[in-house]
Amino acid sequence: MNGIVYRKASEKDIDRLIELNIRLKRLNEEFDPLFKLREDIVEKSREYFQRALNSPDSVVVVAEDGGRVVGFIKADVVERLFYEPKIEGNIVEFYLLPEYRRKKLGAAMLDYVIKLLKERVDIITAEFPALNEIAVEFYSRLGFRGIVSTYARES
Amino acid sequence: MKEKSSELAVKSAPYYGGKLEIVPKIPVRSLEDFSIWYTPGVAAVSKAISMNKELSFDYTWRWNTIAVVTNGSRVLGLGNIGPEAALPVMEGKSLIFKFLGGVDAFPICLNVSDPEKFVEVVKTLEPGLGGINLEDISSPQCFYILDRLRSEMSIPVWHDDQLGTAAATLAGLYNALKLVDKKLNKVSIVLFGAGASNIATARIFEKAGVDMSKLILIDSKGILHSERDDIDELMLHNPWKYELALKTNRAKVTGGPENALEGADVLIAASSPGPGKIKKEWVAKMADKPITFLLANPVPEMWPWEAKEAGAAVVATGRSDFPNQVNNSLVFPSVFRGALDVRARTITDTMMLKAAEALANYVTEDKLNADHIIPTMDEWEVYIYVAAAVAEQARVENVARNPLHYDEEFVRAKKIIQRSRKILMSLMEQRFIKPLPKVD
């Protein structure tokens, strides 16, 4: 698909980011009831993106088609206190609208983010629900492998 | 009429003890003959088949025998009533197979709800059968089951609620379009209802050359489009609908059905019983000379006269007491007749398209009018034409173990179907089949 532009997000994208973030979280909810959406998810999303856009340690990138944002990635730069390599670029949110999937655009957007982070980080990690096999397949194809497991139970 | 037939059905069911039985087709002059039909003679037949399994089609009933398989998870409009309650319906289906297509079909009601297990069980049936007709399985599991069985079995697998209705719909649409002088690849189509039949209809429309970007599907949640709120949920739980969401409605029309129907050329409704599901003012907003198929049973989504009053040029329903009955019984007996006669390994989408074309073309130009776009079940010769078209296409596509040309199958199908009808008539004449019981 031609004409897709990747760029850093800015304040004017926040409403759209909230919308796409909610889609992403709803998808997570499909995988596991422990990802049930909070009622105040809109406000929380707004605060979240505002904070990220103002933080030197977060990167938010959007994919744009004809001026319309159709996907986004949020990554954080984190220090790994005990391990080498020391600085990690952690992809915490990743969403692309369905009609833009399976066209290598997700990989291209990820590439764009990694390029932005390259100077600063030595290792790239990604988080997603354990049962999201589509994500497992996607990251595995790009050479990622699992290094951390999060197990949960309701107390 | 419905009440009377219900009453008769309930009375007849115990009177006849079901609808089918197995009757031998070889002579038994004396018990001595069992040494031919059974042991020791039969061992030679088994031995021959063990050397060449394909001979099972020549040496046994396999060439003409299919199973009508269900788990009773969505029976007619009755819902999940279970495999036992599905049995009378499967018997009825088998009866139609025999009477209209000369196909020996028998019911198999499985106590299996897990689709994975269902697939495994049905696959194990292959050695004894010439084909599988799936029936009354809930959606969306039915899509998964059909897709897997079609790709993993080497005999034809058909799910009539999907494919039969879709093929009959396409046949009706071919002729309706001739009447209003529009082209299939140019029209904009709205599919109202996204159950087994309309999802299958969308898929076959695509194969037939419909411009999918202009097609709009409407389900219980409204107009489907690639950015609808539940799209990711569909990706995980109904990939068939998801795929259609990505391909259709490129303009991303949203809102109520009236928005989808505005300017549309064709409406295919296969949702839930009406009347009042489709409003006259929606049909009034459609393009010039609109075509409306209102296929819900027992009551169409809107009455046909309402559709006409709202400006519909052609109206079809699923009912036999109105003109233009889009009826899967016009399709499945002959599709299997043709597929079995050539010992097809599968029924391809193009074989289905050819069946729809043959069904449409049976209504010749001189007979074609707004009240006659599709043959009726009384026109029994239509089955021969459809069977021949299906067989011919199987040969062309190289999926026939026993390739036959159109004319060969035409003669063969005619003979088999005629014989089947004659046997039943003769059993009735000789009172082996008793007349229907009286109801007051």
Side-chain angles (χ1 to χ4, degrees):
Chain A
M1 199 176 272
N2 296 321
I4 303 290
V5 177
Y6 307 100
R7 61 166 174 82
K8 283 192 182 177
S10 65
E11 288 283 331
K12 69 171 174 22
D13 299 312
I14 283 190
D15 284 338
R16 182 65 166 169
L17 284 168
I18 294 171
E19 196 186 320
L20 295 177
N21 188 53
I22 292 172
R23 282 178 181 268
L24 167 64
K25 301 309 172 193
R26 265 208 313 260
L27 174 59
N28 289 350
E29 187 174 2
E30 290 295 325
F31 289 111
D32 200 310
L34 284 176
F35 293 115
K36 185 172 159 37
L37 267 53
R38 285 169 57 146
E39 280 192 7
D40 56 355
I41 186 164
V42 175
E43 297 89 86
K44 289 294 163 192
S45 298
R46 187 176 301 280
E47 290 165 21
Y48 179 68
F49 286 112
Q50 250 148 9
R51 211 177 316 123
L53 291 179
N54 293 315
S55 162
D57 290 328
S58 288
V59 172
V60 183
V61 161
V62 296
E64 208 174 47
D65 178 19
R68 203 170 71 105
V69 171
V70 298
F72 79 102
I73 287 178
K74 176 183 179 278
D76 299 323
V77 177
V78 194
E79 183 175 2
R80 302 170 81 218
L81 284 181
F82 315 112
Y83 307 114
E84 298 276 2
K86 285 180 195 148
I87 309 291
E88 165 183 346
N90 182 211
I91 294 156
V92 286
E93 320 293 351
F94 191 149
Y95 188 84
L96 195 57
L97 283 172
E99 63 186 301
Y100 296 90
R101 294 175 197 162
R102 293 184 294 194
K103 297 184 167 106
K104 300 192 164 42
L105 298 174
M109 179 158 62
L110 183 64
D111 234 29
Y112 182 88
V113 171
I114 293 173
K115 275 193 189 115
L116 283 179
L117 291 170
K118 208 160 75 184
E119 313 268 287
R120 296 175 60 192
V121 308
D122 314 305
I123 175 174
I124 301 282
T125 58
E127 281 178 25
F128 52 85
L131 294 174
N132 185 347
E133 282 169 32
I134 304 165
V136 172
E137 204 266 329
F138 173 79
Y139 286 112
S140 303
R141 193 156 24 91
L142 296 173
F144 287 69
R145 63 184 164 85
I147 59 164
V148 181
S149 294
T150 303
Y151 276 62
R153 72 164 203 206
E154 283 180 279
S155 51
Chain B
M1 181 187 135
K2 195 197 156 201
E3 265 164 37
K4 188 162 177 237
S5 58
S6 301
E7 206 181 318
L8 259 172
V10 171
K11 192 148 186 193
S12 303
Y15 183 73
Y16 294 104
K19 295 183 265 292
L20 303 165
E21 68 180 323
I22 289 181
V23 178
K25 60 185 176 189
I26 42 75
V28 181
R29 295 160 301 182
S30 73
L31 295 184
E32 297 291 300
D33 281 350
F34 288 145
S35 62
I36 312 172
W37 310 129
Y38 196 54
T39 182
V42 73
V45 180
S46 287
K47 215 168 146 190
I49 296 174
S50 77
M51 315 282 272
N52 175 7
K53 295 190 170 104
E54 294 289 308
L55 286 179
S56 61
F57 286 97
D58 297 279
Y59 286 9
T60 73
W61 72 347
R62 191 176 179 191
W63 66 275
N64 197 42
T65 302
I66 68 165
V68 177
V69 188
T70 189
N71 59 3
S73 55
R74 193 192 182 282
V75 181
L76 309 173
L78 303 172
N80 186 358
I81 57 172
E84 293 84 357
L87 185 50
V89 186
M90 302 309 120
E91 281 188 325
K93 189 85 179 189
S94 304
L95 172 70
I96 297 174
F97 263 118
K98 183 68 177 175
F99 191 70
L100 297 177
V103 174
D104 287 311
F106 62 88
I108 294 188
C109 298
L110 298 175
N111 192 14
V112 175
S113 52
D114 174 34
E116 212 62 52
K117 205 166 159 195
F118 190 98
V119 166
E120 289 314 314
V121 172
V122 175
K123 275 172 69 180
T124 62
L125 301 174
E126 179 165 336
L129 293 169
I132 299 280
N133 180 85
L134 303 167
E135 196 75 25
D136 288 352
I137 301 167
S138 63
S139 157
Q141 290 81 3
C142 63
F143 305 120
Y144 173 78
I145 290 170
L146 177 68
D147 285 358
R148 271 205 57 195
L149 291 176
R150 265 178 116 178
S151 71
E152 292 174 29
M153 294 183 81
S154 303
I155 52 174
V157 183
W158 181 265
H159 178 214
D160 205 46
D161 305 295
Q162 293 185 57
L163 310 173
T165 312
T169 301
L170 179 61
L173 185 58
Y174 277 138
N175 279 345
L177 288 171
K178 286 178 204 163
L179 284 173
V180 300
D181 200 21
K182 295 183 186 179
K183 294 266 170 286
L184 187 74
N185 57 358
K186 294 272 195 291
V187 289
S188 58
I189 299 176
V190 173
L191 299 182
F192 185 86
S197 78
N198 260 358
I199 295 279
T201 296
R203 290 168 92 182
I204 195 72
F205 277 5
E206 184 178 18
K207 295 275 168 18
V210 166
D211 179 352
M212 296 302 276
S213 68
K214 287 200 283 187
L215 185 140
I216 296 181
L217 254 156
I218 302 176
D219 66 9
S220 54
K221 290 194 178 120
I223 295 178
L224 191 68
H225 61 91
S226 65
E227 292 182 26
R228 205 169 74 173
D229 276 353
D230 62 340
I231 190 74
D232 286 308
E233 185 192 331
L234 287 176
M235 173 180 73
L236 300 177
H237 303 304
N238 193 336
W240 302 272
K241 204 192 269 186
Y242 176 77
E243 291 303 326
L244 289 169
L246 297 190
K247 277 180 201 160
T248 61
N249 191 5
R250 186 160 301 157
K252 296 204 178 81
V253 176
T254 57
E258 65 276 20
N259 299 38
L261 283 168
E262 193 166 353
D265 299 293
V266 178
L267 162 67
I268 312 283
S271 58
S272 49
K277 287 269 146 56
I278 307 272
K279 306 231 177 305
K280 275 171 86 170
E281 47 278 28
W282 303 350
V283 174
K285 280 190 182 172
M286 291 176 70
D288 188 37
K289 293 187 281 180
I291 294 166
T292 60
F293 285 15
L294 309 157
L295 305 180
N297 273 329
V299 181
E301 285 84 351
M302 73 191 295
W303 294 112
W305 54 88
E306 294 176 317
K308 285 256 169 81
E309 283 161 15
V314 185
V315 182
T317 71
R319 266 171 56 158
S320 56
D321 51 343
F322 297 136
N324 299 330
Q325 185 191 17
V326 173
N327 181 357
N328 48 2
S329 296
L330 290 166
V331 179
F332 67 82
S334 41
V335 165
F336 270 96
R337 181 71 276 137
L340 287 169
D341 286 339
V342 297
R343 292 179 203 166
R345 287 184 202 89
T346 181
I347 297 168
T348 62
D349 291 331
T350 27
M351 285 160 74
M352 232 178 114
L353 291 179
K354 292 290 172 186
E357 274 170 32
L359 188 54
N361 291 337
Y362 187 78
V363 183
T364 46
E365 218 167 284
D366 52 311
K367 288 193 213 131
L368 180 64
N369 64 63
D371 283 337
H372 188 58
I373 58 165
I374 192 159
T376 65
M377 279 168 76
D378 320 324
E379 299 172 88
W380 75 275
E381 286 193 327
V382 69
Y383 294 94
I384 304 165
Y385 285 86
V386 176
V390 169
E392 164 80 6
Q393 184 61 24
R395 182 184 61 78
V396 169
E397 283 186 65
N398 266 326
V399 296
R401 291 181 176 91
N402 175 38
L404 293 174
H405 284 267
Y406 185 94
D407 294 343
E408 293 172 297
E409 171 57 10
F410 193 91
V411 173
R412 186 185 160 108
K414 188 171 185 175
K415 211 166 109 189
I416 294 174
I417 296 172
Q418 267 178 341
R419 176 176 182 273
S420 179
R421 297 169 78 96
K422 275 187 193 157
I423 288 175
L424 189 74
M425 297 306 162
S426 142
L427 289 172
M428 281 160 62
E429 273 163 26
Q430 298 187 39
R431 296 285 166 133
F432 285 111
I433 296 176
K434 293 179 285 182
L436 276 170
K438 295 249 181 306
V439 286
D440 346 283

